[in-house]
Amino acid sequence: MQYVADKWYVYFTRITTVFALVFFIATIVDLTVPGLKEIGLEYGLSLVTLGLTGLHLLFVVTLYRYVKRNNGIAAASLLLAFLFMMNLVNLIHSTGRLHSYYHGVWILLVLASGMFGPYAMIGFCFLTTLYMLLIATDIPGQFSLDLFSFIAALAVYLIAIGGYYAWRRVCIDQESAQVTKLSGQLQDTKKQAEILVQSIKDGVIVTDHTGQIKLINPAAAKMIGWPVAEAQGIDVNLVLKLKQENGSELSDELNPFKTVLSSGQPADASYQLMKKDNSSVIVSLAVTPVLNKQGQKPTGTAAIIRDISVSRAEEAKRAEFISTASHEMRTPVAAIEGYLQLALNDKVATIDTKARSFLDKALDSTHHLGKLFQDLLTSAKAEDGRLVSHPTVVEMSEYLQKLTDGLKFAAEKKGLLLEFKLGAGQGETTSNVNGNLVRPLYYVHVDPDRLREVITNLFDNAVKYTERGKITVGLTGNPDVVQLFVRDTGAGIPKDDVPHLFQKFYRVDNSSTRTIGGTGLGLFICKQIIDLYHGNIWVDSDTGKGSTFYINLPRLSTQKATDLQKVEQEQSALTN
């Protein structure tokens, strides 16, 4: 364990190494130059001194860096202190024992031992006591210790105690400086965080696990019309009054703060926010959970609020323009299409083969243009909630079988096989009664025309992007969900494009799709329609292996379907 700053260990290493180097050189000189033997004996220079100082220097140039790198500088310096102590004991014993002038160096070593902690200091004091007992009992049966030796030993203990407290103060001062520095950094970080939160243009609200507001920045306070001081400590649902974007009431199951606290999953959607003065704005609200240290239980929420009223108004204007333009342009396009069909009618007009080919191409282009206008109109209506839908109870196995039969010609025209696959899902069974197959009944509540639009769109895409093989339209389900799918054996979709497929105007851009026409609106419209019925649509695809588009719809029980059909029949009778 390191008790003081690195610099003190560096100083100790340098001083002891210089001491060992001087005595190593002096010993070599004493042993090689005639006439210096008496001087060498006086200073304790001997082969033992040469060996111990050589070992000290060898450790410095070989193992010191390795121990420092793996165990720290304190451990490396402690091993060096042990080698230095061995040489110092040798010098003291050969030059007068406790009366040796090297005893002063021993006292300095004991003083320095405090930098290695209390155990090192106790160890040096123990060695002093042991050495004192050894020299006091040199003669068997006698105990001889003069006053000077006793005072020298006592000085070692006093110096050791004083050194411990001196080094301890250095350590405490160093720790205090680090704590003070860290505290200052934390305060600066806290201030920076506060400044950052207060200066964010988007609203920021933080709540605890009960939903009480613990932090709200000025942007959020201005957005909701509450002063910051009044909003803090109040339930967020009393301050942040939310409705669905279309103005309908928001149930507890859809409340973002409650769902995040209960599920621990983030929520992100658009809402209508009612201000304190009863005015309203459209906001984008992203709520994320604040989890405990284990990352398991939500201890609060953090919400980012952004006013999107202006962008929503601009989107509404764009949608209205597209809707109006598409509607107005469909009339002349329909007229052009009608005149082209008349021109191609042998009973109405006579044209040569070359002219007929030109008119056929013109008619195809007109069909494509009409489809574009229709898609633009449908997407505009879907975005602003004007998409007409008349849901009824539909039994999907019979519905999908008939729809697939009607699509076979388009697939066969391109040389593709179209099959309908009815699979028994989880909890479903199919059985034979008198030789007849009994199908499970998959009831859903949808507009059959809108659902036909979705399936036809997926089928058309499968035909366009499949050169050979087959297209499979399938149906399965479980007690809660009806799942239908359209699978092809085409080129597949790159993984990077899959997350964007259902975005408006998005098209996969590669050599295999660039030559195939399309508006980039088909899948967007499919998703908007499926969302009307609280369903889900997604794709699973591998490049070169084809694609499978899945649709999940909420399933009706047989009893629920029967009840709804009775209601629909009664309403139809009243209307007629």
Side-chain angles (χ1 to χ4, degrees):
M1 179 178 178
Q2 185 168 333
Y3 288 89
V4 294
D6 288 357
K7 65 178 182 179
W8 297 107
Y9 298 110
V10 173
Y11 292 155
F12 178 82
T13 300
R14 290 176 179 175
I15 292 172
T16 55
T17 301
V18 169
F19 188 94
L21 181 62
V22 169
F23 272 79
F24 182 77
I25 295 174
T27 303
I28 292 176
V29 172
D30 177 71
L31 294 175
T32 56
V33 177
L36 297 179
K37 187 174 182 180
E38 294 297 329
I39 298 175
L41 291 175
E42 182 181 354
Y43 288 99
L45 305 180
S46 64
L47 289 174
V48 176
T49 304
L50 183 66
L52 291 173
T53 53
L55 185 63
H56 183 119
L57 297 174
L58 182 64
F59 176 81
V60 171
V61 298
T62 56
L63 297 178
Y64 181 83
R65 292 181 182 274
Y66 174 80
V67 177
K68 177 182 176 182
R69 182 173 62 253
N70 292 277
N71 303 98
I73 191 172
S77 299
L78 181 60
L79 291 176
L80 204 63
F82 176 74
L83 294 174
F84 182 73
M85 178 200 67
M86 289 171 45
N87 186 37
L88 193 57
V89 169
N90 164 61
L91 293 174
I92 290 173
H93 191 72
S94 60
T95 57
R97 301 184 177 184
L98 290 180
H99 293 270
S100 171
Y101 33 80
Y102 290 119
H103 197 269
V105 181
W106 178 265
I107 291 176
L108 293 177
L109 180 61
V110 172
L111 177 64
S113 68
M115 74 171 67
F116 300 107
Y119 296 111
M121 180 205 68
I122 293 171
F124 278 99
C125 291
F126 173 76
L127 290 175
T128 301
T129 304
L130 181 62
Y131 182 70
M132 183 177 65
L133 292 174
L134 288 175
I135 63 175
T137 56
D138 276 349
I139 302 175
Q142 294 185 11
F143 182 83
S144 175
L145 186 67
D146 56 32
L147 181 62
F148 179 82
S149 298
F150 177 78
I151 293 174
L154 182 63
V156 169
Y157 301 141
L158 294 176
I159 291 295
I161 295 172
Y164 171 74
Y165 284 105
W167 286 113
R168 181 61 183 162
R169 181 160 185 83
V170 171
C171 180
I172 292 174
D173 290 344
Q174 179 186 1
E175 291 176 350
S176 299
Q178 291 176 346
V179 170
T180 302
K181 182 179 179 181
L182 180 60
S183 177
Q185 290 175 344
L186 290 174
Q187 290 178 359
D188 290 342
T189 303
K190 184 177 179 180
K191 289 179 180 178
Q192 291 173 1
E194 290 178 354
I195 293 172
L196 180 62
V197 171
Q198 300 300 323
S199 61
I200 291 176
K201 292 183 179 180
D202 292 335
V204 177
I205 294 179
V206 178
T207 73
D208 62 12
H209 68 283
T210 65
Q212 288 189 349
I213 296 176
K214 294 302 179 183
L215 183 149
I216 180 171
N217 71 340
K222 182 179 179 181
M223 202 176 300
I224 63 179
W226 283 65
V228 172
E230 292 184 16
Q232 287 183 336
I234 298 179
D235 190 301
V236 66
N237 295 304
L238 298 177
V239 174
L240 207 65
K241 297 181 179 180
L242 301 174
K243 292 184 176 182
Q244 294 189 34
E245 191 171 350
N246 59 10
S248 58
E249 294 299 323
L250 191 69
S251 63
D252 289 344
E253 292 78 12
L254 298 177
N255 184 290
F257 291 96
K258 293 181 179 180
T259 55
V260 168
L261 285 174
S262 61
S263 67
Q265 299 298 319
D268 186 358
S270 300
Y271 302 93
Q272 186 177 127
L273 170 64
M274 304 302 297
K275 293 186 175 182
K276 192 176 183 181
D277 60 1
N278 291 327
S279 61
S280 64
V281 293
I282 304 300
V283 298
S284 170
L285 179 63
V287 185
T288 57
V290 179
L291 303 177
N292 57 11
K293 293 182 179 180
Q294 291 74 28
Q296 298 174 346
K297 185 179 180 181
T299 60
T301 63
I304 303 295
I305 315 168
R306 176 174 297 175
D307 188 342
I308 59 172
S309 299
V310 175
S311 61
R312 279 290 189 268
E314 293 176 350
E315 289 176 5
K317 290 180 181 179
R318 288 195 297 269
E320 181 63 28
F321 170 77
I322 292 173
S323 178
T324 303
S326 300
H327 182 75
E328 293 298 327
M329 286 186 285
R330 285 177 64 195
T331 301
V333 169
I336 295 171
E337 184 177 353
Y339 285 124
L340 288 172
Q341 288 175 341
L342 286 173
L344 290 168
N345 191 331
D346 293 334
K347 296 180 179 180
V348 176
T350 302
I351 55 176
D352 59 26
T353 305
K354 189 173 184 181
R356 180 176 293 276
S357 67
F358 292 153
L359 292 176
D360 283 334
K361 291 177 182 178
L363 185 59
D364 289 341
S365 298
T366 306
H367 284 319
H368 178 71
L369 188 59
K371 180 68 166 56
L372 172 60
F373 290 147
Q374 181 60 46
D375 286 348
L376 286 171
L377 184 61
T378 304
S379 65
K381 289 180 177 180
E383 285 185 302
D384 59 19
R386 294 185 293 114
L387 193 62
V388 178
S389 176
H390 302 289
T392 61
V393 175
V394 177
E395 200 290 297
M396 286 301 300
S397 58
E398 182 181 356
Y399 171 85
L400 205 56
Q401 176 73 70
K402 291 180 178 179
L403 182 58
T404 305
D405 291 340
L407 296 173
K408 280 185 178 180
F409 177 74
E412 293 171 354
K413 187 177 179 181
K414 196 177 178 181
L416 302 174
L417 175 66
L418 176 63
E419 67 174 0
F420 175 67
K421 184 176 182 180
L422 179 63
Q426 182 180 359
E428 300 290 350
T429 59
T430 58
S431 59
N432 285 302
V433 178
N434 297 325
N436 296 320
L437 181 66
V438 179
R439 297 183 177 184
L441 300 176
Y442 294 107
Y443 289 108
V444 294
H445 196 236
V446 298
D447 186 329
D449 293 331
R450 290 297 179 195
L451 187 59
R452 182 183 294 108
E453 186 177 350
V454 172
I455 298 171
T456 302
N457 201 314
L458 297 179
F459 171 78
D460 290 342
N461 283 344
V463 171
K464 282 195 298 185
Y465 297 108
T466 303
E467 295 301 324
R468 63 181 65 88
K470 68 178 180 179
I471 297 171
T472 303
V473 178
L475 178 67
T476 185
N478 60 36
D480 300 317
V481 173
V482 173
Q483 183 177 96
L484 56 102
F485 62 85
V486 178
R487 179 177 296 130
D488 63 58
T489 57
I493 303 166
K495 293 294 185 184
D496 294 340
D497 291 303
V498 169
H500 310 287
L501 280 181
F502 299 96
Q503 294 176 1
K504 196 174 182 180
F505 296 116
Y506 187 85
R507 295 195 68 221
V508 177
D509 184 17
N510 57 39
S511 57
S512 62
T513 62
R514 199 173 294 120
T515 57
I516 300 175
T519 63
L521 290 170
L523 292 178
F524 170 78
I525 294 172
C526 288
K527 186 178 188 311
Q528 298 299 313
I529 293 174
I530 296 302
D531 286 345
L532 285 176
Y533 310 117
H534 308 290
N536 188 24
I537 181 171
W538 74 99
V539 63
D540 183 15
S541 181
D542 288 322
T543 305
K545 296 182 180 180
S547 306
T548 303
F549 283 83
Y550 293 94
I551 297 174
N552 279 4
L553 293 170
R555 183 177 182 178
L556 299 177
S557 65
T558 303
Q559 182 61 47
K560 180 68 173 177
T562 302
D563 294 342
L564 280 175
Q565 284 174 334
K566 290 180 180 179
V567 173
E568 291 170 1
Q569 290 172 0
E570 292 174 359
Q571 290 178 345
S572 177
L574 291 174
T575 303
N576 296 331

